[in-house]
Structure formats: C-alpha cells, structure tokens
Amino acid sequence: MNITPLAIAEALSYHNPEVHLSSGEDVYIKGAVFIRKNQLSFENDILYMGELSDLPDSLPPCDCINILCAGKGKITEEYKNHPGINLIILDQSTDLKQVFNELQNLFTKQSTINWYAAKLLNTLVNGKGIDYILDTANEFFKCPMYVLDNSFKMLAYTKNIEFDNPLWNEIITEGYFSNETVLTFKRTP
C-alpha cells in the first residue's frame, strides 16, 4: 500500500476533514513538510502542512500540490477549485504538530512495509528457496506459516517458532495432515 492523499484523509477522519481531491489515487505521498508563506515550488509527492495563514497568497502553475491545513480563517475558492490541488482542511482547533507526528508514524509504517516487501522480493530474485521466504515473511507477519501441496503434505514451514496449536503441532510433527483433519478442512466453509 502506498500513501495517497485519500489514505491520509481517511487516517485523519476523526478530525472531520474537509477534503478536495483533484488527483487522489494516482499520487503517492512520501513525506510531509511545513509550508512557507513565500513558497514558490512544490513537489508532487510531498504533503505541505500549515496554518491557513501560512498558505501562499497565490499558487504557481502546477500538476499537483498536496496541502493539509488548519487554523482560523477561510480557505479561498482558488485553493478549493484549483485543478492541481489535493486539499485537506482540518478544524481550526487541530494541533498540526500532533497531526505531523501521526503522519510520521504512517510514513514509518509504510517504509517498514516497503522494506519487508523489498526483502521478500530479493529472496525470490536470488532463489533463496521457500523455507527462507517463509522465515523472511515471518519477520514481518510475526506468525507461523506453512506451505502445503495439493495432498496436504507440508513443503515448508517457519522454523524456530513456539506455537501451541493442535493443527500446527500435527503438521510439524507428522509432515502432513491426517485424513480426519483434511475432511474437517473440506467441510468448513
């Protein structure tokens, strides 16, 4: 999952944002910075944050600007109707420093997901094998995993895991599921 302006608005939904998106799903945000009153250039993958009073009086021509703002005053129609702006307006009582910290947590989580995805892809590209892939996936998902063939025989499983579960114990001990267990699986919707 990449972070879009819509995902940011949804993550901040408890602030009851007023949202005006012109290019929501095809824009990915990689970070947030505070906007300057005299700012003339904008990057389309950055979220610019600030008080309403910090917004520039006029906007440069642009393909995409992502703005999150709060504070006293009223946002101009130029901002609301600009074809290149993704705009999220929060209540004037919103603490933008707190929102910034919340967004940093969101970016950190996304960075962690991207790191593990790259690590998993690297295991595939380098032909490390299914055992290594499961062990790598376990680092992220933090749960035991196994891979079965069509006859419910185990091909691989995460090692060095303590997990007290009858199904887990059966597959690890026997290397396959019993006919009784397989029939239970087939009956369960």
Side-chain angles (χ1 to χ4, degrees):
M1 171 190 119
N2 288 309
I3 300 173
T4 62
L6 180 60
I8 290 172
E10 288 171 353
L12 300 174
S13 63
Y14 62 93
H15 288 288
N16 298 316
E18 179 184 337
V19 180
H20 303 272
L21 299 180
S22 63
S23 55
E25 289 306 312
D26 57 343
V27 174
Y28 300 109
I29 309 295
K30 68 177 183 182
V33 298
F34 284 96
I35 198 167
R36 296 180 319 273
K37 180 80 172 159
N38 59 350
Q39 186 137 1
L40 297 175
S41 64
F42 297 87
E43 296 179 39
N44 66 356
D45 57 0
I46 298 293
L47 178 67
Y48 295 90
M49 297 179 58
E51 299 286 333
L52 282 170
S53 60
D54 295 332
L55 297 179
D57 293 330
S58 63
L59 293 169
C62 60
D63 293 331
C64 180
I65 300 175
N66 304 293
I67 297 176
L68 183 146
C69 59
K72 294 179 181 174
K74 197 152 178 73
I75 193 90
T76 65
E77 290 302 312
E78 177 191 5
Y79 274 88
K80 287 183 179 181
N81 299 323
H82 193 287
I85 288 187
N86 293 314
L87 180 64
I88 302 171
I89 307 166
L90 302 179
D91 186 65
Q92 68 181 10
S93 63
T94 303
D95 180 355
L96 284 177
K97 290 178 185 175
Q98 177 187 341
V99 170
F100 181 81
N101 289 339
E102 292 170 21
L103 291 175
Q104 293 312 308
N105 289 337
L106 186 66
F107 294 130
T108 299
K109 287 177 186 174
Q110 183 60 46
S111 177
T112 301
I113 291 169
N114 291 345
W115 185 84
Y116 277 111
K119 189 173 181 180
L120 274 171
L121 183 60
N122 190 40
T123 64
L124 290 171
V125 168
N126 292 318
K128 299 266 185 160
I130 198 157
D131 289 310
Y132 192 83
I133 291 169
L134 286 179
D135 290 338
T136 301
N138 180 53
E139 290 176 30
F140 179 73
F141 292 111
K142 309 277 189 238
C143 66
M145 293 176 259
Y146 53 82
V147 176
L148 306 174
D149 68 9
N150 289 341
S151 64
F152 292 91
K153 290 183 182 171
M154 182 176 54
L155 300 175
Y157 68 98
T158 50
K159 312 289 189 289
N160 303 317
I161 299 288
E162 289 188 31
F163 185 61
D164 188 25
N165 176 282
L167 291 175
W168 177 260
N169 294 337
E170 178 181 350
I171 192 71
I172 298 307
T173 304
E174 302 299 324
Y176 59 90
F177 283 119
S178 67
N179 287 336
E180 182 182 314
T181 302
V182 171
L183 288 174
T184 302
F185 286 156
K186 288 181 177 180
R187 283 191 297 254
T188 306

